[in-house]
Amino acid sequence: PARPVKTVAVMGAGLMGAGIAQVTAEKGYKVLLKDRDDAAVARGVSYMSENWDKKVKRKRMTQHRRNLNDA
């Protein structure tokens, strides 16, 4: 493409959508997570945060990297 991709939109914040958003954020992209209502988006964000916390606990991710993903 003429311009590099910096932001990725994920439609649907269920298990699959949140997982895609999580991996995309871990690769350094800005992620927009969309769903039908705010509660669904909150569940998706919560799922991602819990997974990142587990990775930090298992030492598969540094706290610094986890904080960058959450920003």
Side-chain angles (χ1 to χ4, degrees), residues 40-57:
V41 173
R43 283 191 302 271
V45 170
S46 174
Y47 173 80
M48 291 171 21
S49 292
E50 289 171 10
N51 282 340
W52 285 330
D53 289 339
K54 288 176 188 176
K55 283 187 170 191
V56 169
K57 185 177 180 182

Side-chain angles (χ1 to χ4, degrees), residues 18-39:
I20 292 168
Q22 176 183 338
V23 171
T24 305
E26 288 175 9
K27 297 296 179 185
Y29 294 97
K30 180 179 176 184
V31 178
L32 299 175
L33 190 59
K34 300 280 188 175
D35 209 314
R36 63 180 177 228
D37 56 33
D38 290 339

